[in-house]
């Protein structure tokens, strides 16, 4: 049997998250194919390392791909695959359960590790419970949290291109418009260093200052939901259960208490540094390095060190 990964695109290229999902799926040791909704990207996608075939969706449906149409395409293909995978983002989360229902297969969301063929690890209850799940279905549909997995190289491969027959477009929903949300600073999910601010920053000006420090350090800016709700940081910066999930090499949390919903988005970071004036703050339970003290003193010291401010 084979595995199929749904390719997502961003800024005219294959999303880094897709490269990570391919890396995850390869751990099963099965041949990997890629389903590409955007034919224009086929020449670059064929070079992704380790991919054997690129299946290119055809027809006008691809330009305004809705989950129902993608689900129909996956249903049409599922007989050749034991695993159909996508990143745990909006499109995959919407399309794969539908495809699983059509095909009568299992759906496993939010996979964080692969244990073997059909065997996965996923988080439950905002990551506070880790479940080991194995599928008894002939075909399993799974969405992968991208950040725990290393991406494959986007060059060096030589996949075969296969043009697919068009599937009927789902007529009852229509994509009217896409609006990219304002992106500030570096790409948060793929950053190696994240500086994240919470309610302890007290103002938007202070969050902007943290963002400036992040820029100087080559880091991305993150925020807690409380900081986002207070208007200190944009929605796109939110880390956590209802925000972005990150696993950088270093995550520095400034004035973040460490609510379970925040930890769900960052606790897989390789090194966690927490700065909080409250020694009992729950963030210290996941921190590798904890600093009990005033965050503004630490920001000033870091600014002096990197020459920012
Ligand atoms: P607080 O909990 O108020 O903590 C502020 C911290 O700053 C305190 O620990 C304080 O000691 C410290 N502090 C204050 N001043 C200083 C200083 N000068 N120096 C050092 N430390 C200082 N939250 C998320 O973050 N992401 C999510 O995705 C998310 N999703 C949610 C989903 C649901 C369904 C629900 C119910 C909640 C969700 N939340 C989420 C909210 C979450 O429960 C917390 O309310 C939120 O994370 C708290 O943000 P905070 O740590 O910035 O604020």
């Amino acid at each position: 049997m084979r595995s199929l990964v749904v390719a997502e695109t961003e800024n005219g290229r294959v999303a880094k998250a897709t490269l990570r999902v391919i890396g995850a799926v390869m751990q099963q040791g099965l041949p990997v194919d890629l389903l590409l909704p955007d034919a224009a990207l086929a020449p670059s996608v064929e070079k992704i390392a380790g991919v054997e075939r690129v299946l290119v969706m055809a027809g006008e449906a691809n330009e305004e791909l809705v989950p129902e149409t993608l689900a129909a395409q996956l249903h049409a293909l599922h007989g050749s695959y034991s695993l159909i995978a996508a990143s745990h983002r909006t499109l995959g989360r919407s399309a794969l359960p539908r495809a699983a229902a059509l095909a009568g297969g299992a759906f496993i969301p939010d996979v964080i590790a692969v244990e073997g063929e059909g065997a996965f690890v996923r988080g439950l209850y905002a990551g506070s419970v880790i479940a080991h799940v194995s599928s008894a279905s002939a075909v399993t549909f799974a969405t992968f949290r991208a950040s725990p997995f290393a991406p494959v190289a986007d060059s060096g491969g030589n996949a075969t291109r296969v043009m697919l027959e068009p599937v009927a477009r789902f007529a009852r929903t229509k994509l009217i418009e896409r609006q990219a949300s304002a992106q500030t600073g570096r790409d948060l999910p793929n950053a190696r260093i994240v500086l994240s601010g919470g309610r302890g920053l007290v103002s938007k000006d202070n969050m902007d200052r943290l963002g400036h420090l992040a820029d100087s350090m080559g880091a991305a800016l993150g925020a807690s939901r409380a900081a986002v709700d207070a208007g200190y940081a944009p929605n796109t910066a939110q880390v956590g259960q209802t925000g972005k999930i990150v696993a950088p090499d270093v995550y520095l949390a400034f004035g973040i208490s460490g609510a379970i919903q925040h930890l769900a988005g960052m606790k897989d970071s390789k090194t966690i540094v927490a700065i909080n004036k409250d020694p009992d703050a729950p963030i210290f339970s996941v921190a590798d390095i904890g600093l009990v003290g005033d965050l503004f003193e630490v920001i000033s010291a870091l600014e002096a060190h990197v020459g920012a401010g």
Side-chain angles (χ1 to χ4, degrees), residues 197-202 223-227 238-244 254-262 275-278 281 293-296:
R199 193 167 7 218
L201 266 97
V202 184
S224 71
R225 176 159 146 184
Q238 185 177 318
V239 171
Q241 184 187 340
T242 45
K244 298 215 167 70
F254 292 84
I256 293 178
S257 59
I260 186 168
Q261 297 90 353
H262 187 80
I275 301 108
N276 199 303
K277 65 181 183 187
D278 174 6
D294 182 27
L295 66 91
F296 296 105

Side-chain angles (χ1 to χ4, degrees), residues 122-145:
R122 60 163 302 210
L124 294 173
Y125 305 111
S128 54
V129 173
I130 299 296
H132 297 258
V133 191
S134 74
S135 168
S137 286
V139 55
T140 301
F141 295 79
T143 55
F144 286 70
R145 192 185 297 186

Side-chain angles (χ1 to χ4, degrees), residues 21 39 60 66 82 89 95 139 142 157 190-191 194 200 210 229 235 257 265 298:
V21 176
E60 57 169 349
V66 295
S82 56
R89 308 204 299 187
V139 55
N190 291 312
V194 172
L210 190 66
D229 287 350
N235 262 309
S257 59
V298 177

Side-chain angles (χ1 to χ4, degrees), residues 2 10 74 88 123 127 139 168 172 190 211 220 225 301:
R2 313 177 68 84
E10 59 192 11
L74 294 173
H88 190 64
V139 55
R172 276 183 283 164
N190 291 312
R225 176 159 146 184

